[in-house]
Amino acid sequence: MWALVKREWFVIFSTPLGYLTLFFFLTLSTLFLWFLDTDFNLLNAGFADLNGFFVLAPWLFLFLVPALCMRSFSDEKRLGTLELLLTKPLSLWEIILGKYIANLMLVLAALLPTVVYFFAIDVLKIGDNPIDWGSALTAYWGLFCVGASFVSLGILSALLTKSQATAFIMALLLCFIQFYVWKAIADLMEQQGLYRFFNAVGIFEHYLNLRQGVITLKDGVYFLGFNYILLYLSKWLLYKIKNQS
């Protein structure tokens, strides 16, 4: 499985796609947080925290993660190398997890440089009040969970089509629906039971808890269960492809 992870990294960074995707993520986040006069600008916030970044980052992940995942299986299907991969001494779970872990590591590679923002805030803040590093780490963990969920949706989308462009658009729509649409539907509900139900289905409310520094069992169970269900569906699709070949 780890050989597959290394292969995925080699394929991604053997072309400009991997570098450009990470470059655009870091460039756009830096511009919105430090240079452009927007609601995300940290210098206009008046607080020594990265709340603007944690609000902005899921929007950037909506494009970053589908762009990273779109070739994970669709390219294999288009080039005819998926059948060759299925003949390797790897179980279907190992193939799925190999792709999943490789893309998770790419999400982590995109997040690590943003730690510099914290040190910049620490230098620029007025007074001796320390930055709440505990809440910051919790928010980063929440953002990583969002990225992991988007990766699961991206892999599932890539298994459904041979076209990278179609896989990208499909993953983008699925990520948008799962993160924002359920929250929007919940806000339209007048009954508290329906409001809580639709909020619980979507990612937004669970991420919001972690972003605010609140760690609960239900949020951990949600992210673990959501990723497992999507990866299981991906394994099932891969099983069908294997039997058809």
Side-chain angles (χ1 to χ4, degrees), residues 7 20 36 42 57 65-66 76 81 87 195 243:
R7 171 179 172 268
L20 287 174
L36 300 180
L42 300 177
V65 176
E76 300 262 18
T81 56
T87 62
Y195 174 81
N243 286 344

Side-chain angles (χ1 to χ4, degrees), residues 21-31 60 109-111 113-114 117:
T21 305
L22 296 179
F23 172 77
F24 279 120
F25 172 77
L26 294 172
T27 300
L28 288 175
S29 62
T30 301
L31 287 174
L60 299 179
L111 285 177
T114 64
Y117 301 154

